[in-house]
Amino acid sequence: MGMVSGKTALVTGSGAGIGRATAVKFAAEGAKVVVSDVNAEGGEETVAMIEKQDGKAVFIKADVAVSDEVDALIAKAVESFGRLDCACNNAGIEGKIVPFIEQPLDNFDRIIAVNLRGTFLCLQAEIRQMLKDGGGAIVNLASVAGLIGFPGLAPYVASKHGVNGLTKNAALEYGKQGIRVNAICPGGIDTRMLDSLAEQSTGGEITTREMMDPLHPIGRIGTPEEVAELIVWLCSDRASFVTGANIPIDGGFVAQ
Ligand SMILES: NC(=O)c1ccc[n+]([C@@H]2O[C@H](COP(=O)([O-])OP(=O)(O)OC[C@H]3O[C@@H](n4cnc5c(N)ncnc54)[C@H](O)[C@@H]3O)[C@@H](O)[C@H]2O)c1
């Protein structure tokens, strides 16, 4: 029996990276999975990966920053699989690395719209549905940048601190109705986003691994699969007393 057998799970931004690994892991542990992304090609690819391992998944396109699209996503998810037990609010963008006083307002607005507003909209719609279904579990993707600052990344850092705050509030307000809400705070994870951040920092002079591995006390960056492991566990009944937490998964990064 899988960790989440018989449950229904939604993963936003699951057309690539951590979201894709999470969708695949949910399916491997027995859940029916709603794969969602702005990128339809990536999303359909994730569905194909799940079906290849005999899992059940559908793709539903949605931009998490758009309220109507998020509402339609939840409605279609429930139409597909009947209820919503687990949700992972993973969709996010990094934007540009720019000194604080030079940050363009459009960079700030877009990062806040996707990472913070997007997480807020998804939480609202998911919790409304879970209240009807009698409970559920949600994991938000914050970051080590939701716990400490990173020069050049003010909008991203602000958005991820905000995600950790939303997580605490949602957990407090709906705990008694059987809904658990947690955030995880990954360090460097081997995805397109980390490549973009490394490239912006070094101008491509060294590889992502050369730049990022030594920054982590464990001596390396993490894999999307390692993060997926924690997310699916947090959404499973095994994590029944964990809520309102902002959990680092970072090879010791914030212990420094
Ligand atoms: N990679 C890391 O090192 C790292 C570290 C800490 C936190 N995170 C967080 O983990 C999450 C996933 O990051 P990743 O590294 O897998 O990134 P990624 O860029 O590889 O994948 C992100 C996915 O989200 C989708 N997406 C972007 N904007 C969207 C929107 N408005 N609506 C719906 N989907 C959208 C993209 O199309 C893509 O498929 C993000 O929230 C990120 O901030 C990543």
Side-chain angles (χ1 to χ4, degrees):
M1 260 263 286
M3 247 195 297
V4 284
S5 271
K7 294 187 192 281
T8 295
L10 162 68
V11 186
T12 67
S14 47
I18 295 170
R20 167 174 287 172
T22 301
V24 168
K25 178 71 178 167
F26 263 121
E29 293 292 338
K32 292 179 219 147
V33 184
V34 176
V35 172
S36 185
D37 206 291
V38 275
N39 172 5
E41 206 182 313
E44 295 290 5
E45 241 173 62
T46 304
V47 170
M49 288 167 73
I50 290 172
E51 286 173 346
K52 214 172 147 195
Q53 60 177 34
D54 292 329
K56 264 218 157 86
V58 290
F59 173 69
I60 300 170
K61 189 174 174 181
D63 181 337
V64 297
V66 180
S67 173
D68 291 349
E69 293 193 24
V70 172
D71 288 343
L73 166 63
I74 302 301
K76 284 183 205 161
V78 173
E79 229 171 78
S80 303
F81 294 137
R83 52 183 286 119
L84 186 65
D85 300 296
C86 313
C88 174
N89 298 318
N90 162 82
I93 53 173
E94 73 284 9
K96 300 187 194 90
I97 299 182
V98 188
F100 200 103
I101 59 172
E102 290 159 29
Q103 280 285 348
L105 204 50
D106 61 348
N107 190 49
F108 182 86
D109 286 344
R110 185 65 193 152
I111 293 170
I112 295 296
V114 176
N115 296 5
L116 186 55
R117 185 175 198 261
T119 302
F120 181 63
L121 291 172
C122 287
L123 278 168
Q124 283 192 317
E126 290 156 1
I127 291 170
R128 280 185 200 121
Q129 182 60 41
M130 287 175 178
L131 287 171
K132 287 185 204 158
D133 294 340
I138 304 175
V139 173
N140 296 321
L141 262 290
S143 166
V144 288
L147 300 169
I148 57 175
F150 287 86
L153 281 171
Y156 185 78
V157 166
S159 74
K160 294 300 187 180
H161 276 70
V163 167
N164 276 332
L166 290 177
T167 302
K168 291 177 189 169
N169 243 74
L172 295 182
E173 294 187 38
Y174 298 100
K176 291 197 175 66
Q177 279 116 304
I179 299 173
R180 293 184 298 103
V181 188
N182 291 289
I184 61 162
C185 302
I189 307 299
D190 193 5
T191 69
R192 181 215 62 82
M193 184 181 287
L194 196 67
D195 287 339
S196 155
L197 291 169
E199 160 87 30
Q200 290 189 58
S201 306
T202 67
E205 275 167 31
I206 55 171
T207 66
T208 302
R209 300 294 301 260
E210 282 166 344
M211 183 202 168
M212 296 286 181
D213 281 350
L215 301 179
H216 295 76
I218 214 166
R220 63 170 177 85
I221 58 172
T223 66
E225 290 73 24
E226 288 175 306
V227 180
E229 197 75 39
L230 176 59
I231 294 169
V232 175
W233 179 80
L234 280 169
C235 282
S236 79
D237 296 339
R238 294 186 195 175
S240 48
F241 200 53
V242 187
T243 196
N246 303 154
I247 304 171
I249 170 164
D250 65 353
F253 192 96
V254 293
Q256 298 175 103

